[in-house]
Amino acid sequence: MTTVAAYAAPAAKAPLERTTIERRAVGEFDVLIDIEFAGICHSDIHQAREGWGTAIFPMVPGHEIAGVVSEVGPGVTKYAVGDRVGVGCLVDSCRACENCLKGLEQYCLGGNVGTYNAVGKDGEPTYGGYSQKIVVDENFVVRIPDGLSLDVAAPLLCAGITTYSPLRHWNAGPGKKVAVVGLGGLGHMAVKIAHAMGSEVTVLSQSLRKKDDGLKLGADHYYATSDPKTFEELAGTFDLIISTVSAPLDFGAFLSLLRTDGALVNVGAPEEPISLNLFSVIAGRKTLAGSGIGGIRETQEMLDFCAEHGIGAEIELISAAEINEAYERVLASDVRYRFVIDTATI
Ligand SMILES: [Zn+2]
Ligand SMILES: [Zn+2]
């Protein structure tokens, strides 16, 4: 075991503070990673504050991890000391179910192991990326291509793959009109990736406050959803709408913006159940769907795609001492567009 410095929430809703945690000894197929950067995802805050139900404390959040391999187990074949690598939301899965065998570990039927706030197969709680080192099985590690800086690559491990996966699955690309609802951490990645895939991209945001940013990030059009004329003008326009917001939407109104056979895919989820008139999907054979992160193979594909297209996240680099303040700013939507912790400051 190795003792490493970390930032942890000692209890639900308590501010995060510096502490130490134990990492397991490097096993046969394990990789020890010196973490350099860790992104702050909105779901870190939900979990540290038990917004999604009972959680495990102390909690070291962080599932947007970028660093460098510093030790490998004797059975490791994929990575060597010095490799630039990342870890996302999963550190293990059953590896045997239908979904795992298809590379869809995020939908593991036997239950996957989250990077933090979960219990590993060794029975110990998992601790995330707000720390200086992590030990992960090589099968749940991805390679960060040389063309990508580690700081802007970190958020790709959650925000990047969460938007890349549905864009791929629903065939975004040339000739396709894609709308992105919400321009936050996830939304700004959706815009960049959909644009790089060759789609015509429209941002649907509550206001026009971030319009200049949206256009710079790669959007072709930008509309305010607070303006009822937007829904008249864009009726029947899109092949695919990716909703990144967790506020409750008027799903009927957004479904009316789809063409026949179009899909509205949610990667953000409102906490409350929705009610929907099903004629919104029957008329026009539309799909209302959801999508969660991505598998390991697809995460690697996404990183390679982002490197090839020069895509990283737009980040604000912070020190560990600024984590609690950053949480408040995320809740106030006051970040453009992802906080990333320099873990050397932990
Ligand atoms: Zn996340
Ligand atoms: Zn499985």
Side-chain angles (χ1 to χ4, degrees), residues 80-315:
V81 170
D83 285 355
R84 304 161 81 249
V85 294
V87 177
C89 302
L90 304 176
V91 290
D92 212 339
S93 72
C94 87
R95 312 188 196 194
C97 74
E98 181 185 349
N99 286 346
C100 283
L101 295 176
K102 281 196 278 196
L104 297 171
E105 299 89 351
Q106 75 275 35
Y107 306 129
C108 174
L109 301 172
N112 49 41
V113 179
T115 302
Y116 67 88
N117 190 24
V119 176
K121 287 180 183 166
D122 58 3
E124 298 296 325
T126 56
Y127 296 118
Y130 300 5
S131 62
Q132 292 190 320
K133 297 172 193 288
I134 191 169
V135 177
V136 182
D137 184 292
E138 66 168 339
N139 291 304
F140 289 81
V141 174
V142 286
R143 187 176 298 280
I144 297 179
D146 285 339
L148 276 176
S149 300
L150 293 181
D151 53 356
V152 299
L156 300 179
L157 277 306
C158 176
I161 186 60
T162 298
T163 49
Y164 179 90
S165 185
L167 287 165
R168 264 284 175 262
H169 186 77
W170 277 274
N171 300 311
K176 294 292 176 71
K177 293 186 178 181
V178 174
V180 175
V181 184
L183 192 68
L186 290 169
H188 96 286
M189 287 312 312
V191 168
K192 285 189 176 205
I193 293 169
H195 172 71
M197 286 175 172
S199 331
E200 184 178 331
V201 183
T202 300
V203 174
L204 302 173
S205 186
Q206 268 190 317
S207 74
L208 297 178
R209 192 166 57 94
K210 298 183 192 166
K211 181 175 179 181
D212 291 348
D213 278 12
L215 299 179
K216 266 188 238 148
L217 293 168
D220 300 284
H221 317 283
Y222 202 107
Y223 287 85
T225 53
S226 53
D227 182 350
K229 285 205 288 285
T230 293
F231 289 88
E232 286 168 33
E233 196 179 330
L234 298 178
T237 297
F238 301 109
D239 299 286
L240 175 62
I241 300 174
I242 305 283
S243 172
T244 68
V245 303
S246 46
L249 288 184
D250 179 349
F251 282 92
F254 280 87
L255 286 162
S256 76
L257 304 183
L258 290 172
R259 305 171 69 181
T260 300
D261 285 329
L264 166 54
V265 183
N266 291 276
V267 294
E271 287 179 3
E272 297 301 318
I274 63 161
S275 107
L276 180 70
N277 183 329
L278 284 177
F279 283 106
S280 311
V281 288
I282 289 169
R285 196 166 56 186
K286 294 168 183 175
T287 302
L288 176 62
S291 178
I293 51 173
I296 301 301
R297 192 166 60 216
E298 191 175 45
T299 303
Q300 185 64 61
E301 177 189 305
M302 174 277 304
L303 287 169
D304 296 343
F305 176 90
C306 286
E308 189 185 320
H309 293 272
I311 296 174
E314 301 298 309
I315 64 164

Side-chain angles (χ1 to χ4, degrees), residues 40-44 63-64 89 116 157-159 162 186 293 338:
I40 293 180
C41 176
H42 203 144
S43 60
D44 298 348
H63 57 209
E64 295 185 336
C89 302
Y116 67 88
L157 277 306
C158 176
T162 298
L186 290 169
I293 51 173
R338 207 64 155 174

